[in-house]
Amino acid sequence: MRIGFDAKRAFNNRTGLGNYSRFVLHALQTFAPQHEYLAYTPKIKAGFFDDFPTKDLRLPPSQNKLYGTWWRSYGLPKTLSRDHIQLFHGLSNELPSGLGKVGIRSVVTIHDLIFLRYPNLYPAIDRFFYRQKFKKACEQSDYIVAVSEQTKRDIVDFYGISPQKIRVIYQDCHQAFQRIVSPQEVLLKHNISTPYVLCVGTLEARKNQLRLTKAFAQANLQEAQLILVGGKTKFQAEIESFIAKNHLENKVKILNNVPFSDLPALYQAARVFAYPSFFEGFGIPIVEALHSGIPTVGATGSCLEEAGGQGALYANPLDENDLSEKLAQLWTNEALRQTLIVKGKAHIQQFGAQRIASQLTALYESLI
């Protein structure tokens, strides 16, 4: 088969959707080399090209930014037809218009519908475009890949899509989290010298770092720090205000702009990982923590229990007492810690690249 992919995120985004796109492309190239894979992107940022051979990449004929945007949404079917693509997979919630008119089958991955559940968290203009693109892609695709059972339920509930049209296919994290590293240099670089609870994620209300900070202060863990790693937003000021008012400057550290290469060491050196997000499409940071062998507490209410399985504890994200108690358990109960580490390693086997490549190729082959 000749399969095309919307690879804009793979070549322009270093976080969520970009990580997923690169994971899928690498998994298929490695474990299903019998098929041909072509990646289509309107542009490439510096540093994203290393692992993708030139012959597998297609760019728009014009480098004009506006033309590239139009080409990705409307001009791409003509290019795909000329390249004899049999199936196109939109890896980031959308598909170009007109695939059916040129006889190309389609699959779209839907990561989450959080903008419908929590519209207040998104600018109105973003919600407008998301509503148009996501629903249209779900309706026009031949199959939908949902990254979790939670996302599948949301697609059915919000869009009325038949469950038979949706396949849940998970993803794994980057291979860097699956290799043991020496953390000393990274800890020294970030001035970390005491045992710590780690939380990784953009500092925003949905990720719930303020309540985590309050729960951490309440737990009063011996000789512990809380390390919050993530991109800065306006929400960070609320966390900083709580830290200042409660004199926690020596107990809570916020790290912005941390290079990806530092993350495996920060995970592996942590004593506990906490991810109390209100709602997620899947929860890759929990998978990263389980690969790193770190006892983990997630949140109830969305899909984090799918990501962590029996390898983590779960707290009500609205209940500081519950979260504080779970942190204390993971900090002090060594038997529980070791049990969760073992169960977590077993749980993440289902997310392996070879398994995911097999599931995706089976889906593709059913359409051709």
Side-chain angles (χ1 to χ4, degrees):
M1 290 187 295
R2 285 175 65 84
I3 305 168
F5 295 88
D6 176 5
K8 175 185 175 181
R9 304 291 184 176
F11 290 100
N12 294 276
N13 188 324
R14 294 195 181 277
T15 56
L17 298 181
N19 289 337
Y20 172 81
S21 299
R22 288 185 292 275
F23 169 76
V24 167
L25 292 169
H26 280 300
L28 291 169
Q29 289 172 335
T30 303
F31 295 108
Q34 69 271 27
H35 300 302
E36 294 182 76
Y37 306 110
L38 283 78
Y40 294 80
T41 179
K43 60 181 180 178
I44 300 176
K45 280 188 179 180
F48 281 83
F49 191 65
D50 298 344
D51 298 325
F52 296 92
T54 304
K55 66 183 180 63
D56 293 334
L57 185 68
R58 295 290 189 275
L59 290 160
S62 168
Q63 295 305 302
N64 179 277
K65 182 178 179 180
L66 290 177
Y67 180 84
T69 299
W70 176 89
W71 174 80
R72 178 172 176 254
S73 296
Y74 301 102
L76 194 50
K78 183 177 180 180
T79 304
L80 298 173
S81 182
R82 187 168 58 245
D83 288 343
H84 305 292
I85 294 298
Q86 297 168 276
L87 181 145
F88 185 80
H89 188 165
L91 295 171
S92 53
N93 304 305
E94 57 186 300
L95 290 171
S97 297
L99 290 174
K101 293 181 180 179
V102 293
I104 296 174
R105 308 303 294 272
S106 61
V107 173
V108 64
T109 295
I110 300 296
H111 295 266
D112 63 70
L113 297 181
I114 300 174
F115 72 95
L116 294 176
R117 280 190 168 271
Y118 298 98
N120 59 301
L121 299 178
Y122 294 81
I125 188 65
D126 289 348
R127 297 199 307 271
F128 173 79
F129 284 112
Y130 292 165
R131 282 197 300 268
Q132 308 307 313
K133 291 181 177 181
F134 286 38
K135 185 176 182 180
K136 181 180 177 182
C138 287
E139 292 174 343
Q140 296 186 353
S141 64
D142 292 295
Y143 264 110
I144 300 166
V145 170
V147 299
S148 67
E149 292 288 348
Q150 176 65 60
T151 295
K152 178 178 179 178
R153 290 192 295 270
D154 283 351
I155 295 169
V156 173
D157 293 344
F158 283 108
Y159 291 150
I161 301 293
S162 168
Q164 282 68 45
K165 186 179 177 178
I166 308 169
R167 299 283 180 87
V168 174
I169 300 178
Y170 294 113
Q171 71 175 105
D172 208 344
C173 63
H174 194 282
Q175 291 181 343
F177 297 95
Q178 303 173 37
R179 296 188 290 266
I180 297 176
V181 299
S182 177
Q184 284 77 15
E185 183 176 341
V186 171
L187 296 181
L188 182 63
K189 171 183 176 181
H190 296 290
N191 193 29
I192 300 172
S193 59
T194 57
Y196 59 92
V197 175
L198 176 68
C199 180
V200 176
T202 304
L203 295 161
E204 58 183 349
R206 177 168 59 89
K207 303 292 186 182
N208 210 19
Q209 291 100 336
L210 177 57
R211 186 167 279 106
L212 173 60
T213 303
K214 294 177 179 179
F216 171 80
Q218 180 178 321
N220 194 27
L221 306 178
Q222 186 175 7
E223 296 182 351
Q225 273 192 311
L226 172 62
I227 308 295
L228 304 176
V229 176
K232 185 176 182 178
T233 71
K234 293 180 180 179
F235 180 66
Q236 182 168 321
E238 296 184 41
I239 304 172
E240 291 171 337
S241 176
F242 177 82
I243 292 171
K245 288 179 180 178
N246 292 273
H247 310 291
L248 295 171
E249 291 85 353
N250 294 327
K251 298 288 287 182
V252 182
K253 181 186 291 288
I254 297 176
L255 302 177
N256 303 127
N257 303 315
V258 173
F260 174 83
S261 57
D262 288 357
L263 290 179
L266 290 172
Y267 272 95
Q268 292 179 30
R271 182 166 176 80
V272 171
F273 182 77
Y275 196 64
S277 177
F278 292 125
F279 203 89
E280 294 292 328
F282 180 47
I284 280 294
I286 285 184
V287 178
E288 293 169 346
L290 298 188
H291 272 296
S292 303
I294 306 305
T296 296
V297 56
T300 58
S302 61
C303 62
L304 299 185
E305 289 150 303
E306 290 182 65
Q310 295 184 359
L313 299 182
Y314 303 94
N316 181 339
L318 301 176
D319 188 340
E320 290 172 27
N321 293 330
D322 190 14
L323 183 53
S324 180
E325 290 173 5
K326 295 298 194 307
L327 289 174
Q329 288 180 50
L330 291 182
W331 194 263
T332 60
N333 189 330
E334 195 59 38
L336 174 62
R337 290 169 52 80
Q338 294 306 315
T339 296
L340 291 177
I341 290 171
V342 171
K343 289 183 177 180
K345 291 289 188 182
H347 176 72
I348 55 178
Q349 296 308 307
Q350 66 181 305
F351 305 142
Q354 185 169 3
R355 178 183 175 90
I356 302 308
S358 175
Q359 292 175 328
L360 286 171
T361 52
L363 177 60
Y364 299 157
E365 290 165 1
S366 74
L367 291 171
I368 301 300

